[in-house]
Structures are given as structure tokens and as C-alpha cells.
Amino acid sequence: EGPSAALQLEQRLREASEGGGGATSSGRSTQWGRVATLRSHLDAVRCVLCFEDFGDVALSCGEDSVIKAWDFSSLVPALESGEAALVQELEPYLSIRGHTAAVLTLAAWPSEGKFFSAGRDGDIYVWELPPPLLRETTPGEAYALPVARPRPLRGHREAVWALALN
């Protein structure tokens, strides 16, 4: 089976950083190439969380109060071909709504298939993430599987800026 898309992406970025281009603090040159563009948020993005335990999924959140789930597995052919000029625009496979203000941070609990979100509304949510494998949509079509909105964990009077799991 070979490395996951997330690991391939990381390896490609590491190899690109060892190529020619701009200078780093150590004097080595770097050349970064864009592999994919993730567009869908309507305002600034505050946090991106990448992990392969959910099947090459990345989560993003931001000022638009929405959490987006992105499937990186479609990047595998581009990474395997090594075509630096190939840049893909990915669409999220899932948009999750529940916060009433900007979502500022995310934390993953991959062994349980869950993640946490917190934001300017002072609420913390625990979500179950449907894997992208359940999706049977055409490109650009929204993911139709509903995500249950859990009750928020309340108690903060101000924004929650960071989450960490141990």
C-alpha cells in the first residue's frame, strides 16, 4: 500500500525545501511549490489541523464560524507523478456549522474519530467526523451526510483561543 497522501505531501515539501530558490537561516536554499489550493471559507482562516488517522483529512476553521473537512487522498496521483506544475483546487467534503462566532482553534482525538472546536463564542464542541470514504458525490457537490450538532461545553465567558489534548 505505500505512504498516505499526508505523508507523501510532507515528504514532497521536505524535498522541496532542500532544492534551489530562496535562502534559509542556515544558508541553504529553498524552493516551495504550491501543491493544492483550499478555497471555501468566506473569511480569514484561523487554524488548520492535518492528521492521517482520519484518512488523509485536514480540518480548517475561521472567522466565518464554519469548520471545513478536506480530503487529501485526491492529491496522491499528483504527488506520485512528481509534477510540480500540477496544482489542484480542492473543495471541502464537509462543512460543519454550530458555533455562533468565529472558530479559533481545533484539536484532534483521532483514536476516537472525534475532534474539538472552540471559538470566540466561548463554546467548546466535541464532533464526530464522518470519513471521506462515505462520500459519493461528484466534484464540487456538497457532502450530504448530516453531522449531529452536539451540545456545547459552556463555562467560558470569553473566547477560547487554544485547545490541547494529552
Side-chain angles (χ1 to χ4, degrees):
E1 182 170 299
S4 70
L7 289 177
Q8 290 181 39
L9 181 59
E10 179 184 345
Q11 180 180 5
R12 178 151 178 217
L13 293 174
R14 189 177 303 117
E15 289 168 359
S17 71
E18 296 167 358
T24 66
S25 59
S26 65
R28 284 193 328 194
S29 60
T30 63
Q31 180 178 3
W32 292 91
R34 184 169 41 125
V35 176
T37 302
L38 310 178
R39 294 186 184 160
S40 184
H41 284 283
L42 300 176
D43 208 336
V45 173
R46 287 292 189 159
C47 179
V48 177
L49 181 64
C50 299
F51 43 95
E52 65 177 309
D53 293 337
F54 281 157
D56 297 324
V57 168
L59 298 172
S60 61
C61 65
E63 295 290 327
D64 59 2
S65 306
V66 179
I67 302 162
K68 306 278 185 171
W70 309 85
D71 181 6
F72 284 156
S73 64
S74 64
L75 293 177
V76 173
L79 295 171
E80 288 176 348
S81 70
E83 294 182 29
L86 181 58
V87 176
Q88 298 183 24
E89 285 202 21
L90 294 179
E91 293 289 329
Y93 76 87
L94 183 63
S95 293
I96 302 169
R97 290 173 174 78
H99 285 275
T100 58
V103 184
L104 303 172
T105 187
L106 301 166
W109 190 7
S111 64
E112 297 296 319
K114 297 179 182 187
F115 71 94
F116 297 77
S117 65
R120 201 164 271 151
D121 56 10
D123 294 340
I124 299 172
Y125 285 91
V126 183
W127 304 92
E128 290 192 32
L129 181 64
L133 300 175
L134 295 177
R135 146 179 90 116
E136 291 184 16
T137 61
T138 57
E141 183 181 346
Y143 190 43
L145 185 67
V147 175
R149 180 179 175 193
R151 288 189 355 188
L153 305 172
R154 292 205 163 119
H156 296 276
R157 293 177 189 234
E158 299 289 330
V160 178
W161 289 90
L163 293 171
L165 298 177
N166 232 349

